[in-house]
Every structure is written in C-alpha cells, then in structure tokens.
Amino acid sequence: MPDIQAAWLRASLPLCLLGVLATEGESYGYALIQRLGEAGLGGLKAATLYPALGRLEEEGAVEVRWSAGDGGPGRKYYRLTAAGHTRLAEEYRSWRALDDVVSTLAGDPPPAPTTHANQGGEDR
C-alpha cells in the first residue's frame, strides 16, 4: 500500500475513526491504532490518535467510558453517539464528493518519464 501523506492522514482520521467505531463498535485507543494500521494507515502515533478522539468527544460524536484493566491500568473506551452516526453519514458523503472532484481533475497521472542512458555518449 502506498504511503499516505501526514496531512491526508490528519484530515481523514476523524472520518476513519467514526467509521471503525460505527462498524466494529466500542473500542480503545491501542486497538484503534492496530485496526487502522491493518487497514493501511500504518505508522499512526498515539500523539495523533488521542487528540483526534478527544476532539470527537468534545464535539459529541463519541462518548467515553472507563473500564478497569485486567491486572493493569484502566482503559478508556470510545463509542459512537447518535450525533456521531449523523456526522459519519454527512462527512462520508462529503468525502465521496471531494474524491470525485479530485479524481476528475487529477485523473490518472501519466507514467513518470524514463531516461535512457546513451551508450558511449553518442545519440542513436
């Protein structure tokens, strides 16, 4: 899978988080990092994930509950709210519209030019 630029990752992360929580249910940070990595968003750092989850919580798209850990620290679980489901539907439609525009304008890029080394320094 090609590398995803950091700016694209930051821009799409809230939508991806909402989608995972909608389809897979309640989850915690480390599990979300693993799931997003499996889907192709590898290299996601906790320092990027947790602020995004915090903003989603502040905006009412997710709710949080703490659960005691099994012999370790407790975990913070995130679950989509009704507002989160609405936001997911709206943002997904917007994302698809943007994708259509970008695909129309950018299209399939032509192959990169290749250079042919001249043998013996002569033009042929």
Side-chain angles (χ1 to χ4, degrees):
M1 177 155 288
D3 288 334
I4 297 173
Q5 292 181 12
W8 298 129
L9 176 59
R10 281 190 306 276
S12 62
L13 183 57
L15 177 59
C16 293
L17 288 168
L18 294 172
V20 169
L21 293 172
T23 58
E24 299 180 14
E26 180 180 78
S27 191
Y28 57 96
Y30 181 72
L32 289 166
I33 287 175
Q34 287 185 312
R35 176 65 184 100
L36 293 170
E38 291 166 2
L41 297 179
L44 179 64
K45 305 269 190 276
T48 302
L49 176 77
Y50 288 108
L53 287 168
R55 284 188 296 277
L56 289 172
E57 180 185 8
E58 288 172 8
E59 295 163 1
V62 299
E63 58 188 15
V64 174
R65 76 170 177 87
W66 281 92
S67 178
D70 297 328
R75 284 191 175 147
K76 197 173 189 180
Y77 283 85
Y78 300 87
R79 179 177 50 212
L80 210 57
T81 63
H85 282 282
T86 300
R87 178 174 170 173
L88 171 60
E90 291 170 355
E91 288 189 9
Y92 183 75
R93 280 192 299 275
S94 180
W95 179 266
R96 295 302 309 166
L98 175 63
D99 180 53
D100 289 345
V101 170
V102 171
S103 294
T104 298
L105 294 174
D108 289 328
T114 58
T115 59
H116 297 287
N118 292 335
Q119 293 181 349
E122 298 176 16
D123 290 333
R124 298 197 188 248

